[in-house]
Amino acid sequence: MKRLLVISLVLLLLLAGCGTGQRDGHLTDISTVTVEDLSALFDENLHCVKNILVLGALPHTNTPVKNGHIYPVTNSVYHRYQELKDYLQTVYTATEVARLLESSENPLYLEIDGVLCVDIHRIGGKEYNVNWEGYSLVIDSVDDTACRFTVTGKMPTADGGEEPYAITGSAVCEEGQLVLEKILY
């Protein structure tokens, strides 16, 4: 009887996670994706843009380990390159992660002697004035393969005002989860 109860509970838990667009669920049908799902994914994207890939990088030590510009990363989440790559694959497709991490002769992140490191010559340096606080997100279209959407934030104008700044993106189901086809900023 106990065995039947345990099996029933496991099946119930598995069924509760299937077919939803939840970030922590198993996505089986792209048509079930909601604005909330896409907003959660876009928020992760903004975190990556601001703190990991474009405008900034993971924190690092003050002592280089190679070439005077490659430093060990000092954070409590990613200690190895694969851990960072695994996280990024919860936000972007495997193809986009490969492009972001591996398409350059001088990558932003690399692993030296089992330690995740950052090349400080590749960090940020870009001016970025888009205000994503209070952004709006609308689903433009959904088909069997992708969900296309538009996110609108605000960009400062020369006269001190703000104007809408919109970007479009596509989310797909890959390995049972909702991910972006490209980095968005």
Side-chain angles (χ1 to χ4, degrees):
M1 185 68 172
K2 287 182 184 180
R3 183 176 175 187
L4 184 58
L5 180 62
V6 169
I7 292 171
S8 297
L9 286 173
V10 168
L11 285 173
L12 184 62
L13 288 172
L14 288 172
L15 290 173
C18 292
T20 69
Q22 300 295 326
R23 289 284 304 140
D24 56 354
H26 183 76
L27 180 67
T28 58
D29 183 356
I30 195 76
S31 69
T32 64
V33 173
T34 65
V35 168
E36 291 78 18
D37 297 328
L38 292 169
S39 292
L41 185 57
F42 185 70
D43 289 343
E44 287 297 319
N45 169 75
L46 288 178
H47 168 70
C48 292
V49 167
K50 293 176 183 177
N51 303 307
I52 299 175
L53 296 169
V54 179
L55 302 175
L58 294 170
H60 55 278
T61 67
N62 294 326
T63 308
V65 292
K66 185 176 178 185
N67 300 337
H69 57 92
I70 302 199
Y71 293 77
V73 167
T74 59
N75 73 85
S76 60
V77 181
Y78 316 109
H79 304 285
R80 302 196 60 127
Y81 181 86
Q82 189 62 48
E83 292 170 339
L84 175 61
K85 186 175 181 179
D86 290 345
Y87 163 68
L88 292 174
Q89 287 179 331
T90 68
V91 182
Y92 307 106
T93 63
T95 301
E96 180 67 348
V97 171
R99 185 189 72 79
L100 292 167
L101 292 179
E102 301 162 4
S103 68
S104 170
E105 287 182 28
N106 301 311
L108 176 59
Y109 294 101
L110 58 154
E111 189 167 312
I112 298 176
D113 298 327
V115 176
L116 179 62
C117 296
V118 61
D119 182 345
I120 64 166
H121 284 176
R122 299 278 324 277
I123 296 175
K126 295 180 179 184
E127 184 177 343
Y128 189 74
N129 297 320
V130 179
N131 178 0
W132 290 111
E133 200 170 303
Y135 66 82
S136 66
L137 189 148
V138 295
I139 295 174
D140 299 321
S141 66
V142 180
D143 61 28
D144 292 344
T145 61
C147 176
R148 283 165 278 302
F149 59 95
T150 300
V151 185
T152 305
K154 296 178 181 158
M155 176 75 86
T157 59
D159 63 3
E162 291 183 320
E163 63 185 10
Y165 176 82
I167 56 174
T168 59
S170 292
V172 297
C173 178
E174 187 173 272
E175 301 292 325
Q177 63 186 354
L178 186 67
V179 291
L180 296 172
E181 287 188 311
K182 299 284 181 191
I183 191 170
L184 302 171
Y185 57 96

